[in-house]
Amino acid sequence: MLRRQKPSAPEHKRNLEAHGGTLSMTHNDTRSFFNFSQLVLSAGNLKSPPVLKHSKITYFEVEILDVQSKKQICIVDKVPPSSTLLDVKHKFHKVCPQWYPSRVGLQLECNGPYLKDSINIQSLAVSSIITLYFTDLGQQVGWTTFFLTEYTGPLLIYLLFYIRLSTIYDQVESTKNFRHPVVHLACFCHCLHYIRHLLETLFVHKFSGGHTPLKNMIKGCAFYWGFTSWIAYYINHPRYTPPSFGHRQVSFAALVFLMCEAGNHFINVALAHQNHSGSKACFPSPTYNPFTWLFFLVSCPNYTYEVGSWISFTVMTQTLPVGIFAFVMAIQMSLWAQKKHKLYLKRFYPEVRRKAAMIPIIF
């Protein structure tokens, strides 16, 4: 019988160490996994916390000072960058109700120009605080009200003189004297002129919602109403004498007057419906309508036709007050035409550089 040999001491020890080492490694791995599991469970959700989004909108503060005393009137705060100057005026009106937006004039400098309502407030900002100077523009009226009042007066005043009120003329002399046909024709042409102005104010002209001081309307009414009274008094007077060349002079002048009135109307329509190519405005170009061909020669043909109407009315009636009024209107229209022509040169230089302002060659 063979006996099982016992391993030697060194070999036995080596086997135990090897077995014990394996057990030790397994035990350590188990403990490490257990600790890692506890860490994961205690940590909870591993998702990163949400990032708070901060607003990047920068608000402005508008400091409004009195232009005379330089004292602070108020501060309009929390003004968004997209706001316009009109928005600032509305907020200013809430703080100071006595000054409504159309009455408020704001400037960057004391002697600077008044800023337009459409200006973006961000374009004025150098820092988060914007300083503006306030001026009270006084009582304001809309442009539609301005023109309707200015043109309604001459229409009614002329008709009062035309019917020859007893408070204006001698009633006996008025009934005896025969009225020359030019008197009736002049009344028709004068009324036609101002009725056209009124209708164009209501249906043709496009106003941007701006305002003008009430004193300007008073000046305009005094000018038009005063001249109309002077003109109508002489033309409708019982002792009025007809033109020197009679029917031929009256007919020719009346024809020119009607042509100028028609041309003025078609030019105003063309200006109200200017052509646009994309976002860039174009200077009005002549169309198949012969009355618009004056655009080839001048940049402001509406003023040309306006002066032509009053010159022909002067020839038709042959009265001194009408001639003086036509002369004053020619000066005023030429000044307006020169001012508008300079604006056209900045915006449409290649198209208007060879044109005159109002009258070819002269202006």
Side-chain angles (χ1 to χ4, degrees), residues 86-127:
L86 183 60
D87 299 328
V88 175
K89 289 183 178 181
H90 281 292
K91 291 185 178 182
F92 178 66
H93 175 58
K94 291 181 180 179
V95 179
C96 305
Q98 68 271 28
W99 293 311
Y100 49 88
S102 62
R103 188 168 181 166
V104 176
L106 296 177
Q107 305 160 274
L108 274 177
E109 301 175 356
C110 294
N111 298 324
Y114 293 114
L115 301 173
K116 295 182 179 180
D117 292 345
S118 59
I119 290 181
N120 189 281
I121 200 68
Q122 192 172 13
S123 64
L124 306 175
V126 179
S127 63

Side-chain angles (χ1 to χ4, degrees), residues 340-353:
K340 187 173 289 187
H341 185 69
K342 291 180 180 179
L343 296 176
Y344 283 156
L345 285 175
K346 293 180 181 179
R347 297 182 61 191
F348 316 109
Y349 174 73
E351 301 175 72
V352 299
R353 64 188 178 91

Side-chain angles (χ1 to χ4, degrees), residues 311-333:
I311 292 177
S312 59
F313 193 78
T314 303
V315 175
M316 180 176 61
T317 57
Q318 196 174 307
T319 52
L320 181 63
V322 182
I324 296 175
F325 180 72
F327 178 74
V328 174
M329 288 293 291
I331 295 176
Q332 182 62 71
M333 293 292 171

Side-chain angles (χ1 to χ4, degrees), residues 154 189-190 193-194 196-197 224 228 231 257 260-261 304-317 322-323 325-327 329-330 333:
C189 291
H190 191 275
H193 178 79
Y194 284 102
R196 178 184 62 79
H197 273 304
Y224 279 99
T228 299
I231 291 170
F257 178 87
C260 289
E261 287 295 304
T304 308
Y305 282 123
E306 184 76 12
V307 174
S309 294
W310 287 111
I311 292 177
S312 59
F313 193 78
T314 303
V315 175
M316 180 176 61
T317 57
V322 182
F325 180 72
F327 178 74
M329 288 293 291
M333 293 292 171

Side-chain angles (χ1 to χ4, degrees), residues 212-332:
T212 186
L214 179 62
K215 60 182 181 181
N216 288 348
M217 188 179 76
I218 296 175
K219 291 178 182 178
C221 290
F223 175 78
Y224 279 99
W225 295 14
F227 261 110
T228 299
S229 301
W230 191 25
I231 291 170
Y233 176 81
Y234 274 85
I235 296 177
N236 297 286
H237 199 280
R239 296 183 181 180
Y240 168 76
T241 55
S244 303
F245 296 95
H247 179 72
R248 185 177 301 176
Q249 178 179 342
V250 172
S251 300
F252 174 77
L255 179 62
V256 175
F257 178 87
L258 295 176
M259 290 178 63
C260 289
E261 287 295 304
N264 203 339
H265 171 71
F266 288 119
I267 292 297
N268 288 331
V269 172
L271 292 173
H273 301 86
Q274 293 185 17
N275 296 326
H276 291 79
S277 57
S279 59
K280 184 179 179 181
C282 297
F283 185 77
S285 56
T287 62
Y288 62 88
N289 189 337
F291 291 103
T292 63
W293 293 352
L294 202 56
F295 274 122
F296 285 121
L297 302 175
V298 297
S299 59
C300 303
N302 53 325
Y303 296 144
T304 308
Y305 282 123
E306 184 76 12
V307 174
S309 294
W310 287 111
I311 292 177
S312 59
F313 193 78
T314 303
V315 175
M316 180 176 61
T317 57
Q318 196 174 307
T319 52
L320 181 63
V322 182
I324 296 175
F325 180 72
F327 178 74
V328 174
M329 288 293 291
I331 295 176
Q332 182 62 71

Side-chain angles (χ1 to χ4, degrees), residues 9-62:
E11 184 179 356
H12 179 66
K13 185 177 181 181
R14 207 166 34 246
N15 292 336
L16 288 176
E17 288 177 356
H19 185 67
T22 304
L23 293 175
S24 177
M25 289 177 60
T26 305
H27 181 69
N28 291 337
D29 291 342
T30 305
R31 183 181 299 174
S32 299
F33 179 76
F34 177 77
N35 292 337
F36 179 74
S37 300
Q38 292 296 324
L39 179 63
V40 172
L41 292 174
S42 62
N45 193 358
L46 292 178
K47 292 183 179 179
S48 59
V51 179
L52 296 177
K53 296 182 179 180
H54 298 282
S55 175
K56 295 183 179 180
I57 299 177
T58 303
Y59 292 95
F60 295 102
E61 289 186 359
V62 180

